[in-house]
Amino acid sequence: MFFKLQKTDGNARRGQITTARGTIETPAFMPIATQAAIKAGISPDDLNAAGAEIILGNTFHLHLRPGEDVVKHFGGIQEFCAWKKPMLTDSGGYQVFSLAKMRKISDNGVEFRSPIDGRKIFFSPEKVMQIEYDLGADIIMAFDECPPYPAEKRDVEKAVKRTTDWAKKCKSAHDALLKKAPLDQRLFGIIQGGVHPDLRKQSAEELCNLDFPGMAIGGLSVGEPNSFMYEICEFLDPILPKEKPRYLMGVGTPVDLLQSVERGIDMFDCVLPTRNGRHGNAFTSQGEVTMIRAKHARDDSPLDPECTCPTCTNYTRGYLRHLFKAGEILGMRLLAIHNIHFYLHLMRQIREAIENESFTAFKKEFLGRWKK
Ligand SMILES: [Zn+2]
C-alpha cells in the first residue's frame, strides 16, 4: 500500500507513505534540493542527521542543467546526488509560468527561453513526463498551469481547464513509459483554481476522477493572504479522498504548517529553512531570530536552548553573529542546518501530537510561544 492513514485527530492526519527507497512518516516536510543540492552547503549526511525522509528536486532546473540524460547516466537523481532515500520532483510548471516575459503558452505546452543560455525549450505534458521519468524520483508531479495572484477569474478558469487536459495527457504518457520499462514511480495530480472555491472544487473533482495515487494543491502561497490558503485547504478537505496523501506545494512558515495540518494536509515543501538560514534568520522555539543583531555579539547562549542540532550543541549566538558579520559561509551552513532540524523536529512533534490526540493543544502552545 502506497499511503496508509493511521490516525486522525480532528481533521489532522497521521499517516505513512511507502516507496521502494523507504518510508515517509506524515505529516512530512520536504527540504528542497532545487539543483540536486540543498543550498547553503547542506549534504545528505546533514539531512540524515536532521531526520529527513524525503527531499525535493526541481525538473525545470535539472532539465536546464545538467540535463536528465546526464542524471539518467548516473542511475537517477538519488544516485546522482548520493541521497539514498525517497525523492520527489516537481514538474517545472511553477517555474515556467514565472517566466512571464520569456514564454509562449498554447494548449500543447509552453515555449520558453532558457534563463541560462537563451536557447528555446518547449515543455509539453508528454515532454515533462519523459524528463521526470528519466530523473527517476519516487514521486513526480503532473505539468500544470499555475496562474499568478491576483488574476482575472476567467484566466484562472482557463488554467483549471488546461491543467485537467494536461493531467490526462501526463497520466497516459506516464503509464506508457512505465509499461515500456517499469519504475517504482508515482504521479500526483495538481489542483489549481486560485482563491475561487467553485474552481477549486471543479479542479479537485476532475483530477480525482483520474485516480492519481496522491493529490497536490498548487497555486497557493503565491502572494495571496494566508487566510485564503487556509480557507482553500479547509474547503478541499471533504472533497479529497481520505485514502490518498495531500500535498500543499510551496508551503510554508511553521505557522502555515500547523494551520494546514489542522486542515488535513500531509506533505509540504518550502525554501524558507535554507533561504532564511542563508540570510542569517533562524526559526527557534521562541520565534524568529535575526543573527546579525548587535545584541548577540557577546551572547554565549545557543541559538535555541531547546534544540539538539549540531549548531545549537556546539556554537554560541555570539560566534554565529560573527560569522555573518564576517561573511563566512559557515554561518549560512550552520543556520540552515539548524532551520532544517527545526522544521523536521516540528513535524515529529506534530505527528506525536496527532497520535496522542493532542494536536489542538500542541498548536495552541506552539503559537503562544511563537513571536514574529
Ligand atoms: Zn538548532
Side-chain angles (χ1 to χ4, degrees):
M1 192 185 280
F2 174 61
F3 179 70
K4 202 169 146 198
L5 181 60
Q6 297 168 321
K7 173 117 190 158
T8 55
D9 180 9
N11 290 333
R13 296 146 51 91
R14 171 78 178 92
Q16 208 173 51
I17 293 172
T18 305
T19 76
R21 282 193 183 78
T23 299
I24 305 146
E25 304 293 339
T26 66
F29 180 80
M30 303 182 277
I32 300 185
T34 305
Q35 307 200 63
I38 307 269
K39 292 203 188 293
I42 305 298
S43 71
D45 286 344
D46 298 323
L47 291 169
N48 279 317
E53 292 178 326
I54 178 169
I55 62 171
L56 182 146
N58 189 277
T59 293
F60 173 80
H61 291 283
L62 293 169
H63 172 68
L64 297 181
R65 186 172 52 198
E68 61 276 13
D69 51 328
V70 172
V71 175
K72 195 179 177 183
H73 164 83
F74 286 92
I77 187 163
Q78 298 90 346
E79 295 298 322
F80 184 52
C81 68
W83 169 252
K84 307 295 180 196
K85 292 179 187 173
M87 269 189 96
L88 179 149
T89 47
D90 79 354
S91 65
Y94 175 77
Q95 283 77 19
V96 168
F97 285 96
S98 304
L99 300 169
K101 286 190 187 128
M102 298 164 75
R103 60 172 166 73
K104 218 159 63 192
I105 310 169
S106 72
D107 287 339
N108 293 327
V110 187
E111 188 188 88
F112 60 97
R113 284 194 181 275
S114 161
I116 295 175
D117 55 15
R119 77 192 142 108
K120 266 189 194 170
I121 300 174
F122 185 70
F123 267 17
S124 64
E126 295 82 2
K127 169 85 178 168
V128 170
M129 286 302 100
Q130 182 70 56
I131 298 171
E132 292 198 82
Y133 176 83
D134 287 344
L135 292 173
D138 305 82
I139 299 172
I140 67 169
M141 306 304 297
F143 190 50
D144 60 328
E145 177 172 346
C146 181
Y149 179 87
E152 293 288 335
K153 192 174 177 186
R154 61 172 183 275
D155 291 332
V156 182
E157 206 171 336
K158 267 189 224 160
V160 164
K161 185 183 176 303
R162 196 170 269 153
T163 294
T164 299
D165 290 346
W166 287 0
K168 287 177 190 163
K169 289 181 179 177
C170 283
K171 191 164 193 301
S172 46
H174 189 242
D175 284 347
L177 288 166
L178 294 184
K179 208 172 163 189
K180 224 162 101 185
L183 183 66
D184 193 70
Q185 182 177 68
R186 284 174 174 85
L187 170 65
F188 282 22
I190 304 177
I191 299 162
Q192 289 293 345
V195 295
H196 309 284
D198 55 331
L199 295 181
R200 284 283 172 184
K201 183 170 190 280
Q202 180 193 333
S203 183
E205 287 174 350
E206 287 172 358
L207 291 167
C208 284
N209 286 338
L210 296 174
D211 199 23
F212 290 105
M215 297 290 279
I217 304 171
L220 289 175
S221 198
V222 291
E224 79 286 354
N226 283 11
S227 58
F228 285 11
M229 178 168 85
Y230 305 153
E231 275 168 33
I232 294 295
C233 291
E234 197 165 312
F235 174 79
L236 287 173
D237 177 50
I239 299 174
L240 295 174
K242 296 270 174 253
E243 71 285 2
K244 290 178 182 178
R246 297 105 171 252
Y247 164 27
L248 180 57
M249 302 181 79
V251 175
T253 63
V255 175
D256 291 336
L257 301 185
L258 284 161
Q259 297 288 7
S260 310
V261 164
E262 189 175 40
R263 289 160 174 82
I265 302 296
D266 306 302
M267 299 166 73
F268 301 91
D269 75 284
C270 191
V271 294
L272 275 181
T274 41
R275 180 179 290 167
N276 281 20
R278 279 152 59 211
H279 293 119
N281 297 312
F283 296 97
T284 76
S285 55
Q286 310 300 317
E288 290 176 55
V289 172
T290 302
M291 226 47 252
I292 205 93
R293 295 239 167 101
K295 66 173 183 179
H296 302 305
R298 290 164 195 272
D299 191 341
D300 52 11
S301 60
L303 177 53
D304 185 350
E306 288 182 26
C307 180
T308 57
C309 86
T311 302
C312 294
T313 308
N314 296 310
Y315 303 93
T316 62
R317 286 190 174 204
Y319 180 61
L320 293 171
R321 175 183 186 262
H322 161 70
L323 292 177
F324 275 93
K325 291 294 277 186
E328 288 291 345
I329 296 168
L330 182 62
M332 300 184 191
R333 184 173 135 73
L334 292 177
L335 246 62
I337 286 177
H338 163 80
N339 282 346
I340 289 174
H341 195 276
F342 179 85
Y343 265 64
L344 296 174
H345 183 61
L346 173 62
M347 300 317 287
R348 280 192 290 271
Q349 290 175 298
I350 287 174
R351 294 194 293 265
E352 204 179 290
I354 299 172
E355 282 166 19
N356 300 330
E357 295 181 20
S358 59
F359 178 75
T360 308
F362 171 74
K363 182 188 159 211
K364 200 176 158 203
E365 194 255 346
F366 183 93
L367 296 181
R369 292 200 293 163
W370 185 259
K371 295 191 289 272
K372 196 69 188 143

